[in-house]
Amino acid sequence: MSSMEMANLSLADPFTQTITLHLADGTPMDVPLVELDEFMLYSVRMCINYASQIGASLVLLVILLLLTKPEKRRAPIFITNVLSLALVFIRNILQCLYFTGPFNNIYAYYSQDYSRVTGKDYGTSVAATVMTLLLLICVELSLLLQIRVVCCTLSKLHRTITYTTSIMVATMAIAFRLALCVENSKAIVSLTYVSNVEWLDNASNITTSISICWFCAAFVTKLGFALRQRRQLGLDRFGPMQIIFIMGCQTLIIPAIFSILPYLVNFPGFSSHVLTLVSIFLPLSSLWASASISNRTQPPGGMKLRQELLNNSAMGSSGPLVNGKNVHGPLSPTNTTRSMTSNTTLISPGHHDYHDIGGRDLEAQGLKDGHKAWVAK
């Protein structure tokens, strides 16, 4: 068969043709167009994945800072919530910088020529994987603080068992993530693909999921018993405790689904949502519960209007009638009475709230066959 006939056959489907790139020394390198399409599609999907997390974390961070009362902004739970959202935002910005930087250049990727990658680009990729470690530490610390609050009414034995187990699962998750961070950073700097770290990625994913499920399960169980006791006492009105219970179940189930899906479907970036979802759900539950408490403590419309009228009559220039006469100025303490009501504020899992891994973490970083180990994490 002549070369002309072969060319005509190859162009029968132009979408599957092969393009030729040339190395620096002039050596030709054939790249299938289909493979190039997959490379570009992967990059676009990953950027969409990280951009969605950037938007969600930034919006909630702004709302949290605006709606939280000043006296609550020094609480440890509030600080960990804010730090978690800020780290989610920074981490995903750094991830996007990898896909828009020289590491992801088509020629550099296929020719393995990274001579134009600067030290700043290496630092960006290493910083991204470190941010994931710091985010996990913030999330685990927040969950520990909330377990401490929720279980304070348990017996000493049960409280000790719960605290010890919580510290163990949190430490295990952080330890595996730290090991993965070190190995990934070494691979980034040395420009090598380390295939034997996949087990470490799986271990980090599993231990992180177990820790989140443990904390949320403990929290939901304790709240479930409390809600059952309230229902037996006739206190079945929907309120902050029910809100926190709902958000606890949500934080237990949804991140677990996202950590399992990468093993079932081939979609990059799924597991990168696990820590992001937990970081979002925790302050969100706090905001919802706080809004519910505010609505419950406000009097109904008619009573509120009556209180305003009484306040205006008591403090105005023309005072209320006493013994048939109009008294100017406020009444003296001996002529006035006040009824005091005590409001009980429930602790929510966002302020005393309880508070990855793209076809798994390796894929979210680009650490998969065909993608290099120095992709940012």
Side-chain angles (χ1 to χ4, degrees), residues 84 87-88 91 131-139 275 279:
S84 296
L87 288 171
V88 170
R91 179 190 70 158
M131 287 298 166
T132 304
L133 172 64
L134 296 178
L135 175 59
L136 177 63
I137 293 174
C138 280
V139 168
L275 292 177
S279 301

Side-chain angles (χ1 to χ4, degrees), residues 104-119:
N104 207 47
N105 181 274
I106 293 176
Y107 175 77
Y109 178 81
Y110 283 100
S111 67
Q112 302 293 289
D113 182 1
Y114 293 95
S115 57
R116 297 192 178 184
V117 177
T118 64

Side-chain angles (χ1 to χ4, degrees), residues 44-58 89 92-93 95-96 273:
V44 172
R45 284 177 174 175
M46 293 303 296
C47 286
I48 293 174
N49 170 51
Y50 294 134
S52 64
Q53 298 179 55
I54 291 171
S57 60
L58 180 60
F89 178 78
N92 289 286
I93 288 285
Q95 297 278 31
C96 289
H273 287 273

Side-chain angles (χ1 to χ4, degrees), residues 76-77 80-81 84 135-151 162-163 166-167 169-170 173 207-219 248 251-252 255 274-275 278-279 281-282 349-350 352-355:
I77 293 296
T80 54
N81 283 341
S84 296
L135 175 59
L136 177 63
I137 293 174
C138 280
V139 168
E140 298 290 354
L141 181 60
S142 179
L143 293 172
L144 282 171
L145 290 172
Q146 291 169 73
I147 279 291
R148 178 174 174 271
V149 173
V150 170
C151 298
T162 303
Y163 291 168
S166 299
I167 293 173
V169 296
T207 52
T208 299
S209 301
I210 289 175
S211 68
I212 294 172
C213 291
W214 159 257
F215 284 110
C216 295
F219 191 84
T251 309
L252 171 65
V274 173
L275 292 177
V278 177
S279 301
F281 287 160
L282 295 179
H352 278 317
D353 32 18
Y354 60 91
H355 275 344

Side-chain angles (χ1 to χ4, degrees), residues 34-300:
V34 174
E35 185 176 336
L36 187 60
D37 287 337
E38 291 179 354
F39 171 79
M40 298 302 297
L41 184 59
Y42 175 83
S43 299
V44 172
R45 284 177 174 175
M46 293 303 296
C47 286
I48 293 174
N49 170 51
Y50 294 134
S52 64
Q53 298 179 55
I54 291 171
S57 60
L58 180 60
V59 169
L60 188 57
L61 178 60
V62 172
I63 293 175
L64 183 63
L65 292 174
L66 291 177
L67 297 184
T68 303
K69 296 179 180 179
E71 60 270 18
K72 292 185 177 181
R73 293 181 180 176
R74 294 183 179 180
I77 293 296
F78 174 79
I79 295 173
T80 54
N81 283 341
V82 170
L83 285 176
S84 296
L85 291 172
L87 288 171
V88 170
F89 178 78
I90 296 171
R91 179 190 70 158
N92 289 286
I93 288 285
L94 296 175
Q95 297 278 31
C96 289
L97 289 177
Y98 165 81
F99 288 98
T100 58
F103 269 126
N104 207 47
N105 181 274
I106 293 176
Y107 175 77
Y109 178 81
Y110 283 100
S111 67
Q112 302 293 289
D113 182 1
Y114 293 95
S115 57
R116 297 192 178 184
V117 177
T118 64
K120 179 181 177 182
D121 299 313
Y122 286 101
T124 299
S125 294
V126 172
T129 190
V130 173
M131 287 298 166
T132 304
L133 172 64
L134 296 178
L135 175 59
L136 177 63
I137 293 174
C138 280
V139 168
E140 298 290 354
L141 181 60
S142 179
L143 293 172
L144 282 171
L145 290 172
Q146 291 169 73
I147 279 291
R148 178 174 174 271
V149 173
V150 170
C151 298
C152 62
T153 58
L154 295 177
S155 64
K156 184 176 181 180
L157 176 61
H158 291 162
R159 192 165 61 246
T160 302
I161 294 174
T162 303
Y163 291 168
T164 303
T165 307
S166 299
I167 293 173
M168 288 177 60
V169 296
T171 304
M172 188 178 301
I174 293 172
F176 276 106
R177 173 60 63 174
L178 176 61
L180 183 60
C181 175
V182 171
E183 292 297 327
N184 196 36
S185 298
K186 289 165 62 177
I188 291 171
V189 174
S190 61
L191 293 176
T192 56
Y193 175 71
V194 186
S195 58
N196 59 357
V197 300
E198 186 172 354
W199 74 269
L200 192 56
D201 169 69
N202 291 330
S204 178
N205 180 27
I206 292 170
T207 52
T208 299
S209 301
I210 289 175
S211 68
I212 294 172
C213 291
W214 159 257
F215 284 110
C216 295
F219 191 84
V220 167
T221 302
K222 181 65 172 63
L223 267 183
F225 280 111
L227 289 174
R228 182 183 177 185
Q229 292 176 349
R230 287 171 60 86
R231 184 176 291 275
Q232 291 173 349
L233 295 174
L235 304 173
D236 55 355
R237 180 181 175 183
F238 186 83
M241 288 190 69
Q242 285 80 359
I243 292 172
I244 299 169
F245 182 81
I246 292 171
M247 295 301 294
C249 294
Q250 179 173 299
T251 309
L252 171 65
I253 296 171
I254 296 180
I257 293 174
F258 274 81
S259 64
I260 295 172
L261 279 178
Y263 297 94
L264 304 177
V265 297
N266 184 21
F267 191 88
F270 253 168
S271 54
S272 66
H273 287 273
V274 173
L275 292 177
T276 299
L277 288 171
V278 177
S279 301
I280 289 175
F281 287 160
L282 295 179
L284 192 60
S285 63
S286 172
L287 293 174
W288 187 10
S290 298
S292 174
I293 293 173
S294 299
N295 291 336
R296 293 182 65 184
T297 55
Q298 289 182 356

Side-chain angles (χ1 to χ4, degrees), residues 14-19 31-38:
F15 289 93
T16 60
Q17 63 180 302
T18 299
I19 61 175
V31 179
L33 198 57
V34 174
E35 185 176 336
L36 187 60
D37 287 337
E38 291 179 354

